[in-house]
Amino acid sequence: MEVAALSPTSRPVPLLSTAPAHRLCLLPLRFVSGRRLRPSPRHQASVEPATKEVGTAVPGEWSGDAIRRRFLEFYAARGHKILPSSSLVPDDPTVFLTIAGMLQFKPIFLGKEPRRVPCATTSQKCIRTNDIENVGHTARHQTFFEMLGNFSFGDYFKKEATAWAWELATKEYGLPAERLWISVFEDDDEAFNIWHNEVGVPKEHIKRMGAEDNFWTSGATGPCGPCSEIYYDFYPERGSLDADLGDDSRFIEFYNLVFMQYNKRDDGSLEPLKQKNIDTGMGLERMARILQKVPNNYETDLIFPIIEKAASLALVSYAKADDAMKTNLKIIGDHMRAVVYLISDGVLPSNIGRGYVVRRLIRRVVRTGRLIGIRGDGHGNPEGAFLPSLAEVVISLSTQIDPDVESRRKSIIGELQREELRFVQTLERGEKLLDELLDEALLSAGNNRNKPSLSGKDVFLLYDTYGFPVEITAEIAGERGVTVDMKGFDIEMENQRKQSQAAHNVVKLSVGNESEIVKSIPDTEFLGYDSLFATAVVKGLLVNGNPVTEASEGSEVEILLDRTPFYAESGGQVGDNGFLYSNGGEDRKQTAVIEINDVQKSLGNIFVHKGTIKQGSVEVGKEIDASVDAKLRQGAKAHHTATHLLQSALKSVVGSETSQAGSLVAFDRLRFDFNFHRPLSEEELMKIESLVNHWIGNATHLETKVMALQDAKNAGAIAMFGEKYGEEVRVVEVPGVSLELCGGTHVSNTTEIRGFKIISEQGIASGIRRIEGVAGDAFVEYVCARDNYMRRLCSSLKVKAEDVNGRVDTILEELRATRNEISSLRSKMAVLKAASLASKATTVEPQNVRVVVENMGDVDADGLKSAAEYLIGTLQDPAAVILGSSPGDGKVSLVAAFSPAVVKMGLQAGKFVGGIAKLCGGGGGGKPNFAQAGGRKPENLPDALEKARAEIVAAVSSSSS
């Protein structure tokens, strides 16, 4: 298809304006230039900015999908390979979330991986949360966005990049050239001259800017280079004089070109890169805003349908809404895109790491939805959730962004519904906490004769932990005559913002010894699928991370070979163990022995054998024999194939929507993490285990084949979590049971697994469960050990194995009955002891409050509670009882009981006893009339009770007066 023949579709939004075509589309004469670029013959790029009409290449209207498609096909027609977006969960451990289009190409830019194509183009899903407080308030800030990019890996450079960027903007998208401005790095004369002399941009529309704006660096050292950006001018009538490209009200940057041409050394100096690269990024939402003629990114067809749905649930009209309402609707529209795509990529809500990002965004949507009036599910069910309705809209818009989102619809909807309903309960707890804080503020103000106020820390606690909007906090507080310390709240918010911005928001590249090593060492040839032994040549040797030519006995080494039977850790499977032997002389007498205890992949596909030289020495260039520990490898094979069977069994028993969230395949065990919202029942675990063992017993031969990635996906192959795949992949199939993309080692026949046993199933994070199990020899060892335990148990209980459960139940019931009897006797003894204390009550005037404060020795917590209940019921109202004890094991028990009249005086048992407990190294609380507490310092109990006596007497005296 010819690029120019594309016919984009969209919702009815005018392209540019209703001005006459001769006024809109013809470039002014000052943009005329007769010059053309002379690109490489392969690409044949050219620029004709002066004589062509713009705005006529694509008649009609633009949709976000059409803009994306036009970008990709434009560069595909110029030799670029269209590659899919990578996951929002990056392979790079130095980056928290995928924040840029270039991230998937970082190893290539570093020279750690060979380029698979000379140039590529992508539409990359991205997440950035460092400016979350700006979302909805500005026209352009978002947490989720798409970055369109074209990349060159040593293929073309500035001339072609600038020519194509201009052609794309003016000819393909039809942007008037007089509305476009260019920024270049202040010292980049080459870029300035290309834009002015070859593209034809007038000098007054090219701004030289400093390093802070227009010089890209990856860190203290590493690849770097000048940038050039294209801006769109919404108000060209303001002229060129003193134009400021940083003025968001007039300009928007929509295309950034990074010319990666230098390497920054440790001393700060720059050296030219041997391979110059291009890294560009065009914000899809920004371009949609320009072409669809809307005032902000949120009102484009990429986000606005979500906003419209939220408005309908809140029973409001976006068009008629005030600014505050529109801001809240924009926040919902933006955040919903982020959470849907994050959950689709396997990031589930939790209190740590990436999961916390998802949880925080979901909570912002829920509390914002409640703030604008959405109740329940928005359709009349007050107990329902409204996020699923919004997610349906996001998913319907996802087809061209990430087709996998649709296939994960059920799990995404379910996770959002569960998280919202859980959070609503948290919000309700926040409401109760707010009531308590307001009561405390009013009481404190009354005692100190100050104006009641909520502290900034308390307001932030409600906001951050309980998701309570500060606006609602202020409104409720105001109704009760309590002010809010907004300055203190802003300080807390700023502290959190700084912590958030300090997180992983920069893609770091570095060029060091590793890059030098990789240039001289080819990828390692892996022979381990077919053999556990091979002869190889030592191509590289490292000690303490530094290259050496020789290492001797006792050294911890990293050895790089040209070929190896050792499996390097990947796909969850651990690296092989074994030995390397160096043989010298004609008789090949053994001269060195190196014990290998780990193998890792590094610098692309180079295997790093880590171990210790046990005997002799090893040299670069010498031939060695590599031998893998066969028993350990067999254990890994059994557990890896068992993991595939386990995943199939899980999908069969609990549902196909469950998916892998991580795994470990070790020599002696397996661990499988999966997305699921509840614990598995014993019955489900038995079914899963039985199904796996059934497949093992079927003696099925495994089949492996190498095929194109897309062909494998079309065949239904499951991808391993977090793995990165090339264009060709290895597919492992257990016919009729499992089909997965996998580079790991596996048994030839399922009978080699011998058996499978689930050891445990537990939750490790919100929405993520973990199964641990054993197979192969480890399975036999586990079963034999458990059989020995059962034999001993049967001998001790003097019953048969089948009667053990019954006997244990009987023993437990007898134990419970005995404990209950002892507890009852202790409570009765405590009450009898308390009866004698009633006569010791002190009367505090003028209200004649009866006060008892006593140490009851070693009475346990239940006995102390019974004694307090007896005393408060025996003494006449008003009465206050505070009792303490040391039941043993270094513990302290405390209880406070206040009669109704004492509570009316403003005293609360929970707060009172909590303060006393702190003196004993503990804490506690409860209701205003009755509370319990504990501690770990029994030696402090006498002093604590004396303090309690003094405080209660002073409190009731003051309250009475």
Side-chain angles (χ1 to χ4, degrees):
M1 176 187 293
E2 290 291 325
V3 175
L6 287 174
S7 178
T9 59
S10 72
R11 64 189 180 98
V13 180
L15 176 61
L16 288 172
S17 78
T18 56
H22 69 277
R23 291 177 57 193
L24 171 68
C25 300
L26 293 180
L27 288 167
L29 290 176
R30 66 178 182 273
F31 276 64
V32 173
S33 169
R35 300 178 181 85
R36 287 193 182 188
L37 291 177
R38 290 184 290 278
S40 60
R42 189 176 71 80
H43 295 297
Q44 294 299 314
S46 64
V47 177
E48 300 176 89
T51 59
K52 298 288 185 179
E53 291 187 347
V54 297
T56 59
V58 187
E61 299 150 349
W62 287 97
S63 68
D65 287 344
I67 296 169
R68 181 192 308 106
R69 184 170 63 250
R70 176 59 57 88
F71 184 97
L72 296 175
E73 294 192 1
F74 174 85
Y75 282 104
R78 287 152 181 79
H80 293 63
K81 174 75 172 179
I82 299 178
L83 297 177
S85 170
S86 59
S87 170
L88 289 171
V89 181
D91 295 327
D92 188 339
T94 69
V95 183
F96 195 52
L97 290 165
T98 297
I99 59 173
M102 59 79 65
L103 192 57
Q104 65 172 300
F105 305 116
K106 175 179 171 180
I108 300 174
F109 287 138
L110 283 176
K112 291 185 175 182
E113 287 185 6
R115 67 179 191 180
R116 296 184 178 91
V117 293
C119 46
T121 183
T122 66
S123 178
Q124 175 64 51
K125 301 173 297 182
C126 297
I127 289 280
R128 292 182 188 174
T129 59
N130 54 317
D131 290 324
I132 191 172
E133 67 274 11
N134 291 327
V135 171
H137 295 277
T138 70
R140 60 181 177 83
H141 281 95
Q142 299 157 240
T143 56
F144 176 88
F145 58 95
E146 282 186 79
M147 188 63 75
L148 305 173
N150 55 289
F151 307 90
S152 168
F153 314 113
D155 186 53
Y156 62 85
F157 201 49
K158 286 185 186 179
K159 286 188 178 182
E160 293 88 347
T162 53
W164 288 331
W166 185 262
E167 181 182 0
L168 178 66
T170 58
K171 294 178 64 178
E172 301 298 327
Y173 292 137
L175 300 183
E178 68 269 22
R179 285 180 175 260
L180 302 185
W181 290 65
I182 306 298
S183 71
V184 297
F185 178 53
E186 56 191 358
D187 295 333
D188 192 359
D189 294 334
E190 180 186 10
F192 188 98
N193 291 332
I194 291 173
W195 283 116
H196 176 57
N197 298 327
E198 303 195 36
V199 175
V201 180
K203 291 182 178 181
E204 59 268 24
H205 271 225
I206 306 176
K207 292 282 188 179
R208 292 182 183 265
M209 301 178 74
E212 183 177 352
D213 296 302
N214 277 66
F215 195 90
W216 179 85
T217 60
S218 60
T221 61
C224 58
C227 304
S228 188
E229 296 158 330
I230 307 179
Y231 290 77
Y232 184 81
D233 185 356
F234 292 106
Y235 299 100
E237 64 273 13
R238 295 181 184 177
S240 303
L241 188 63
D242 297 326
D244 179 8
L245 296 182
D247 180 2
D248 284 352
S249 66
R250 176 177 176 179
F251 297 101
I252 185 170
E253 174 210 334
F254 65 87
Y255 207 171
N256 182 22
L257 316 178
V258 177
F259 308 127
M260 207 178 295
Q261 64 189 80
Y262 300 114
N263 175 48
K264 190 174 184 180
R265 295 171 171 169
D266 291 334
D267 61 4
S269 62
L270 302 178
E271 62 177 348
L273 286 173
K274 295 179 180 178
Q275 175 180 294
K276 293 179 172 61
N277 304 308
I278 290 292
D279 161 25
T280 79
M282 174 186 286
L284 175 61
E285 293 81 5
R286 296 187 181 196
M287 181 56 79
R289 172 191 171 188
I290 296 169
L291 293 178
Q292 294 176 12
K293 295 293 288 182
V294 291
N296 54 68
N297 295 1
Y298 306 98
E299 295 183 38
T300 66
D301 68 338
L302 296 164
I303 307 175
F304 195 66
I306 312 166
I307 292 175
E308 287 186 310
K309 182 64 178 179
S312 71
L313 294 177
L315 303 178
V316 299
S317 165
Y318 180 85
K320 298 178 181 178
D322 59 21
D323 289 343
M325 175 64 74
K326 285 183 176 180
T327 295
N328 286 324
L329 288 168
K330 292 172 187 175
I331 290 171
I332 292 174
D334 169 81
H335 288 9
M336 280 305 302
R337 291 213 303 169
V339 297
V340 165
Y341 286 100
L342 281 166
I343 293 173
S344 177
D345 280 351
V347 184
L348 299 183
S350 71
N351 288 329
I352 57 173
R354 300 181 181 99
Y356 180 70
V357 172
V358 177
R359 173 157 288 169
R360 183 185 178 199
L361 292 172
I362 289 175
R363 291 186 171 189
R364 288 195 99 213
V365 174
V366 174
R367 69 191 183 205
T368 304
R370 288 166 68 94
L371 182 66
I372 66 174
I374 300 177
R375 294 293 177 262
D377 64 357
H379 297 290
N381 178 11
E383 304 299 323
F386 71 88
L387 295 189
S389 295
L390 298 176
E392 291 284 2
V393 180
V394 180
I395 294 170
S396 70
L397 297 171
S398 71
T399 307
Q400 301 301 318
I401 305 172
D402 183 355
D404 290 335
V405 175
E406 174 61 43
S407 65
R408 296 163 185 158
R409 174 189 295 266
K410 185 176 180 181
S411 61
I412 294 169
I413 297 295
E415 190 60 44
L416 286 171
Q417 182 177 38
R418 286 187 293 273
E419 183 68 12
E420 179 180 350
L421 295 178
R422 279 195 296 261
F423 181 49
V424 168
Q425 295 176 351
T426 303
L427 271 174
E428 291 171 352
R429 291 196 296 272
E431 290 170 353
K432 293 179 182 178
L433 175 60
L434 176 56
D435 286 338
E436 293 178 8
L437 291 171
L438 290 174
D439 288 340
E440 186 175 344
L442 289 167
L443 180 62
S444 175
N447 292 337
N448 299 320
R449 298 182 180 179
N450 295 327
K451 189 175 181 180
S453 177
L454 276 184
S455 71
K457 286 189 175 181
D458 284 339
V459 177
F460 182 76
L461 172 69
L462 287 163
Y463 172 84
D464 192 53
T465 302
Y466 294 94
F468 229 71
V470 66
E471 298 88 349
I472 292 180
T473 298
E475 182 180 344
I476 296 174
E479 291 172 356
R480 297 187 59 180
V482 179
T483 62
V484 170
D485 177 16
M486 288 305 301
K487 184 176 181 181
F489 173 78
D490 291 339
I491 291 173
E492 297 295 326
M493 283 291 291
E494 179 64 15
N495 290 338
Q496 186 194 62
R497 186 188 68 80
K498 288 179 179 178
Q499 292 173 357
S500 174
Q501 287 186 329
H504 305 280
N505 282 303
V506 177
V507 181
K508 295 184 178 180
L509 304 182
S510 62
V511 177
N513 290 339
E514 290 182 347
S515 292
E516 296 304 317
I517 295 170
V518 73
K519 292 175 183 176
S520 59
I521 297 178
D523 287 350
T524 308
E525 180 186 1
F526 179 59
L527 309 172
Y529 291 135
D530 304 312
S531 175
L532 298 182
F533 179 87
T535 299
V537 175
V538 178
K539 306 297 288 186
L541 190 61
L542 295 95
V543 175
N544 296 324
N546 297 312
V548 297
T549 57
E550 183 178 2
S552 57
E553 186 173 321
S555 299
E556 300 288 333
V557 293
E558 295 176 331
I559 301 177
L560 314 180
L561 305 176
D562 63 338
R563 59 209 299 263
T564 184
F566 283 80
Y567 182 82
E569 181 177 324
S570 62
Q573 181 176 330
V574 299
D576 279 329
N577 287 187
F579 288 89
L580 301 180
Y581 303 100
S582 178
N583 303 306
E586 294 182 0
D587 58 355
R588 292 185 60 79
K589 183 178 179 180
Q590 195 175 96
T591 59
V593 177
I594 305 101
E595 183 178 10
I596 301 300
N597 50 43
D598 189 22
V599 183
Q600 297 285 330
K601 279 186 182 178
S602 181
L603 311 175
N605 201 38
I606 295 175
F607 288 31
V608 181
H609 304 72
K610 301 184 178 184
T612 305
I613 301 177
K614 295 294 185 180
Q615 174 187 321
S617 62
V618 61
E619 297 179 43
V620 173
K622 294 292 185 180
E623 194 173 80
I624 57 98
D625 292 330
S627 179
V628 174
D629 187 313
K631 181 177 175 62
L632 294 181
R633 166 66 79 82
Q634 185 62 29
K637 289 164 62 177
H639 284 105
H640 206 148
T641 306
T643 300
H644 285 209
L645 300 182
L646 171 59
Q647 177 160 220
S648 293
L650 266 170
K651 290 180 176 292
S652 175
V653 173
V654 303
S656 59
E657 69 273 12
T658 185
S659 60
Q660 181 177 344
S663 69
L664 170 69
V665 176
F667 306 126
D668 58 349
R669 70 191 188 282
L670 67 83
R671 186 178 71 213
F672 188 83
D673 299 341
F674 58 100
N675 299 316
F676 205 57
H677 60 278
R678 61 168 175 81
L680 300 186
S681 66
E682 286 296 326
E683 182 180 0
E684 287 171 328
L685 290 172
M686 289 177 63
K687 284 183 179 179
I688 291 168
E689 198 174 82
S690 176
L691 195 51
V692 172
N693 282 309
H694 171 72
W695 289 330
I696 291 171
N698 283 345
T700 303
H701 285 283
L702 274 70
E703 298 178 3
T704 60
K705 60 187 74 174
V706 176
M707 62 175 67
L709 175 60
Q710 192 56 52
D711 290 343
K713 288 184 176 180
N714 293 341
I718 298 174
M720 292 285 285
F721 174 82
E723 282 297 288
K724 187 176 181 180
Y725 298 99
E727 293 187 10
E728 285 197 335
V729 293
R730 183 171 181 261
V731 178
V732 177
E733 181 178 12
V734 182
V737 177
S738 168
L739 183 68
E740 296 195 25
L741 308 182
C742 183
T745 61
H746 290 269
V747 298
S748 299
N749 188 288
T750 56
T751 54
E752 294 178 39
I753 302 174
R754 304 178 72 179
F756 172 72
K757 184 69 178 174
I758 293 176
I759 302 233
S760 67
E761 190 274 339
Q762 61 183 328
I764 59 170
S766 176
I768 300 181
R769 310 294 302 176
R770 170 173 290 173
I771 286 179
E772 296 188 80
V774 288
D777 289 349
F779 161 79
V780 176
E781 292 170 5
Y782 180 85
V783 171
C784 288
R786 293 305 179 274
D787 183 62
N788 287 334
Y789 299 151
M790 179 60 76
R791 289 174 184 273
R792 294 177 188 175
L793 189 58
C794 291
S795 177
S796 298
L797 298 177
K798 299 186 178 352
V799 294
K800 296 179 181 178
E802 57 267 27
D803 297 327
V804 166
N805 284 345
R807 180 70 180 120
V808 170
D809 287 342
T810 300
I811 292 173
L812 289 175
E813 185 57 39
E814 291 173 353
L815 182 60
R816 278 192 292 268
T818 301
R819 285 177 174 171
N820 289 338
E821 185 177 352
I822 292 172
S823 179
S824 177
L825 289 172
R826 284 178 174 171
S827 294
K828 289 177 180 178
M829 290 175 63
V831 170
L832 289 173
K833 195 171 182 178
S836 65
L837 297 177
S839 61
K840 297 182 179 181
T842 302
T843 301
V844 180
E845 296 181 349
Q847 296 281 348
N848 294 325
V849 179
R850 307 275 286 171
V851 175
V852 174
V853 181
E854 290 291 338
N855 186 337
M856 296 195 67
D858 62 353
V859 174
D860 64 12
D862 289 336
L864 207 64
K865 178 175 179 288
S866 297
E869 289 172 343
Y870 171 81
L871 283 169
I872 206 68
T874 301
L875 298 171
Q876 293 182 350
D877 192 13
V881 175
I882 297 99
L883 303 177
S885 67
S886 303
D889 295 329
K891 294 181 180 179
V892 172
S893 292
L894 291 163
V895 65
F898 294 169
S899 68
V902 172
V903 174
K904 286 182 180 179
M905 294 178 187
L907 300 179
Q908 294 188 20
K911 292 184 178 179
F912 186 89
V913 78
I916 301 302
K918 289 180 180 179
L919 300 175
C920 298
K927 299 178 180 178
N929 66 317
F930 195 93
Q932 290 179 278
R936 285 286 179 181
K937 296 180 179 180
E939 65 274 13
N940 293 352
L941 180 60
D943 291 340
L945 290 175
E946 283 303 316
K947 181 175 176 59
R949 186 189 309 277
E951 289 188 357
I952 192 64
V953 169
V956 296
S957 298
S958 173
S959 298
S960 297
S961 60

